[in-house]
Amino acid sequence: MTKSIIIIGSGFSSLAASCYLAKAGYNVTVVEKNSTIGGRARQLKKDGFAFDIGPTWYWMPDVFERFFSDFKKKPSDYYSLEKLNPAYSVYYGKEDYITIEDTLEKIKIAFEKEEIGSSKKLNKFIEKAKSNYDIAIKDLVYNPGVSPLELVTPQTIKKLNQFFSTIKRDVRKEFKNDRLVKILEFPVLFLGAKPSDTPSFYSFMNYADFGLGTFHPKKGMYQVILAIEALAKELGVTIKTEMPVDKIIVDNGETLGVISNGKTYRSDIVLSGADYHHTESLLAKPYRQYSETYWNKKTFAPSSLLFYVGFNKKLINVNHHTLFFDVDFDIHAEAIYDNPKWPENPLFYASFPSKTDDNSAPKGNEAGIFLIPLAPGLKDTPELRKIYFNKILDRFENLTSQNVRNHILFKKSFCINDFIKDYNSYKGNAYGMANTLMQTAFLRPKLKSKKVKGLFFTGQLTVPGPGVPPALISGKLVADLILKHHTT
């Protein structure tokens, strides 16, 4: 008899898992609390503008290719991809920025201009990062985080010291120029922890950045969600929106389905791609694996204050992706991780998709997304959002030498309260649980419940961790685990 499975949430992990499970013969239903699918990767449309609400960076194209190839498909069957040149620029002061272009050779030239001799060091650093990437992305991250032995391979034994050194130590040992250091430390922020708390092995993110490059799917990241939705439907998956799950039904230690909008939906298996902490709150206490103390002690990736802004003119002196590192990173990081508070002078990131993509804004206009990383769990008020928008806009106008304030058609904000309301996100975190040494692989919350038979988890709080490519991988890992434990 065909087994049925209910998947909670419709983000990257849930949709990916739904495809693998439907292909294996399961009767799969995805239930989503919001009115549109995509989880954190939803889209905002307003007055002819289109914004990706969540992820805006398309890195590690090989992971997307590997996902689609598992179904004898290619990303290009669903969306078109453009390699960005420049990939991004980084501001340090007024009209003072470094541009990161689309090949390692061009990036080496930019480095050499900053620090003589740095291009050779960069070459060596990226070679090591590529070696880590080959081990991590082609092998290690496709392990389900069940046993410490997953990390023990002939390749990783040779790199054991890299699990006990940090990105910050490695980068600063080789590079003395502070501007270059900031660029090399930036990619690990996607993993949700400070460079000083991120194992050296994660330098594979630098290879993703400089070696593989930054891409943009035409019409935005939401096209990737729509692509996986189309694939899921081709495979027979049913997707239902506006179906928040109120309770996971457990009888005698076994899951029987879920209750949504007051109705009971039976299934043999329940898989949750919703926030892990929230999912466990849908269970009676004896069936929860992790206590409030457990969650409270974990290092969470930042939350974010985001602004989606429509401008009635084209902006100058910015690229599709632009980082603003004109203030002290360590002080901002302290306000996120060590002493959680609203940062005095925040670093911020801005994305202008309409620099690349005409679908993002009406002709002659510009779509802008601004992001300030914040500690999760902070007080979030309209007044604070307004103060911080003015802070970063003042700096933005000064650094890029242009007036933009008088050209704003509209702005919408999204912050901690919205992450909680829209995604049931623990403390309003944006990226899940950080990939620190003590939160890597088998040390993360498990894909399979130890207390409830037939209950599984996927997404950024479990393995492999934060980010879009890891989310796709998480969907595959949990599907494999379900197939291993529950054959149809």
Side-chain angles (χ1 to χ4, degrees):
M1 196 177 86
T2 302
K3 288 206 168 171
S4 61
I5 181 160
I6 287 174
I7 301 180
I8 305 170
S10 65
F12 279 107
S13 298
S14 294
L15 290 177
S18 79
C19 294
Y20 287 109
L21 292 162
K23 182 189 171 194
Y26 279 84
N27 182 349
V28 184
T29 303
V30 173
V31 296
E32 165 59 54
K33 78 183 275 286
N34 292 312
S35 58
T36 57
I37 65 156
R40 283 166 163 78
R42 292 178 304 155
Q43 189 181 45
L44 166 67
K45 285 192 161 182
K46 185 174 167 64
D47 302 344
F49 290 81
F51 304 88
D52 284 313
I53 291 179
T56 53
W57 294 78
Y58 191 106
W59 272 10
M60 304 185 187
D62 49 322
V63 174
F64 295 85
E65 284 158 19
R66 183 165 169 176
F67 169 76
F68 284 106
S69 73
D70 285 343
F71 305 92
K72 297 189 166 46
K73 303 277 187 184
K74 303 188 291 292
S76 57
D77 294 334
Y78 298 97
Y79 54 90
S80 61
L81 211 52
E82 180 181 342
K83 190 173 189 184
L84 295 181
N85 187 32
Y88 55 91
S89 51
V90 184
Y91 267 90
Y92 299 97
K94 189 175 173 64
E95 290 184 40
D96 175 17
Y97 56 88
I98 293 177
T99 299
I100 299 300
E101 293 190 73
D102 61 341
T103 68
L104 184 56
E105 288 312 306
K106 292 178 191 170
I107 296 165
K108 276 159 47 178
I109 292 166
F111 266 55
E112 198 63 27
K113 277 183 191 164
E114 287 294 317
E115 183 182 318
I116 291 167
S118 63
S119 60
K120 279 186 182 161
K121 289 177 185 173
L122 180 63
N123 215 36
K124 204 170 129 194
F125 186 80
I126 297 298
E127 267 177 30
K128 193 168 161 185
K130 182 186 187 305
S131 163
N132 288 354
Y133 190 90
D134 289 343
I135 294 166
I137 303 304
K138 292 173 185 170
D139 187 12
L140 277 192
V141 294
Y142 285 91
N143 283 315
V146 172
S147 157
L149 296 176
E150 292 169 2
L151 294 176
V152 183
T153 69
Q155 291 91 340
T156 56
I157 286 167
K158 289 177 198 161
K159 293 177 178 284
L160 201 59
N161 64 324
Q162 289 192 43
F163 286 93
F164 298 100
S165 186
T166 67
I167 292 287
K168 181 172 182 170
R169 198 178 302 153
D170 283 15
V171 167
R172 289 167 192 244
K173 193 168 71 185
E174 295 296 334
F175 299 89
K176 302 300 171 231
N177 181 297
D178 191 52
R179 292 149 67 100
L180 299 183
V181 163
K182 282 179 176 172
I183 291 173
L184 288 167
E185 289 181 350
F186 145 69
V188 301
L189 299 180
F190 285 116
L191 301 170
K194 291 190 293 187
S196 56
D197 290 335
T198 304
S200 303
F201 186 72
Y202 285 106
S203 70
F204 64 72
M205 294 295 289
N206 294 103
Y207 176 69
D209 181 1
F210 288 0
L212 296 173
T214 304
F215 294 77
H216 174 73
K218 195 170 181 188
K219 296 189 181 176
M221 287 293 282
Y222 196 62
Q223 292 308 301
V224 188
I225 287 287
L226 296 178
I228 305 172
E229 177 196 33
L231 174 59
K233 286 182 172 174
E234 286 168 41
L235 293 161
V237 175
T238 302
I239 299 174
K240 297 179 175 180
T241 54
E242 296 183 321
M243 270 191 67
V245 170
D246 308 309
K247 189 178 178 184
I248 296 169
I249 309 161
V250 181
D251 183 41
N252 207 16
E254 192 166 347
T255 178
L256 300 178
V258 302
I259 295 172
S260 173
N261 296 328
K263 278 181 72 178
T264 298
Y265 297 86
R266 299 272 173 184
S267 68
D268 299 302
I269 295 162
V270 172
L271 165 60
S272 179
D275 177 275
Y276 205 123
H277 171 270
H278 169 72
T279 303
E280 290 224 311
S281 77
L282 303 174
L283 296 162
K285 269 194 174 159
Y287 295 122
R288 297 174 194 174
Q289 304 169 91
Y290 305 106
S291 65
E292 285 301 315
T293 311
Y294 170 89
W295 293 112
N296 213 26
K297 282 182 175 170
K298 291 294 161 191
T299 302
F300 271 78
S303 185
S304 300
L305 169 55
L306 290 137
F307 297 99
Y308 310 99
V309 188
F311 295 99
N312 67 3
K313 70 165 185 177
K314 299 304 280 182
L315 304 193
I316 57 167
N317 298 334
V318 287
N319 288 312
H320 184 126
H321 296 297
T322 309
L323 301 161
F324 293 86
F325 285 179
D326 55 308
V327 296
D328 192 309
F329 168 76
D330 290 333
I331 293 173
H332 186 168
E334 201 178 294
I336 296 173
Y337 297 102
D338 306 324
N339 178 23
K341 60 180 181 184
W342 282 81
E344 192 66 33
N345 292 306
L347 285 82
F348 65 99
Y349 152 68
S351 172
F352 303 96
S354 44
K355 288 279 170 203
T356 305
D357 195 334
D358 293 341
N359 300 284
S360 299
K363 196 173 168 53
N365 293 8
E366 204 85 86
I369 301 165
F370 296 83
L371 181 154
I372 302 171
L374 295 173
L378 296 179
K379 186 182 178 187
D380 166 20
T381 66
E383 294 74 28
L384 279 164
R385 294 186 189 196
K386 190 177 176 185
I387 288 165
Y388 277 80
F389 183 70
N390 287 328
K391 269 189 190 224
I392 63 170
L393 216 62
D394 286 348
R395 272 170 49 208
F396 180 83
E397 288 189 322
N398 175 49
L399 293 166
T400 64
S401 300
Q402 63 188 315
N403 174 284
V404 298
R405 202 180 290 273
N406 301 335
H407 295 275
I408 294 172
L409 295 169
F410 63 83
K411 81 168 192 298
K412 278 183 78 73
S413 64
F414 198 94
C415 196
I416 290 166
N417 293 347
D418 303 295
F419 280 102
I420 294 168
K421 179 174 72 74
D422 288 3
Y423 312 129
N424 295 308
S425 166
Y426 181 70
K427 292 187 177 178
N429 80 80
Y431 305 103
M433 196 187 278
N435 266 340
T436 59
L437 179 61
M438 297 311 292
Q439 294 181 177
T440 289
F442 68 96
L443 296 169
R444 296 179 73 79
K446 302 295 181 207
L447 292 166
K448 180 178 183 283
S449 172
K450 293 176 289 206
K451 292 194 174 183
V452 181
K453 192 180 173 196
L455 176 60
F456 295 82
F457 302 83
T458 188
Q460 56 188 8
L461 267 70
T462 180
V463 290
V468 177
L472 284 180
I473 294 166
S474 189
K476 177 180 170 60
L477 294 179
V478 78
D480 289 346
L481 213 54
I482 290 169
L483 296 177
K484 193 174 159 188
H485 288 271
H486 293 261
T487 49
T488 55

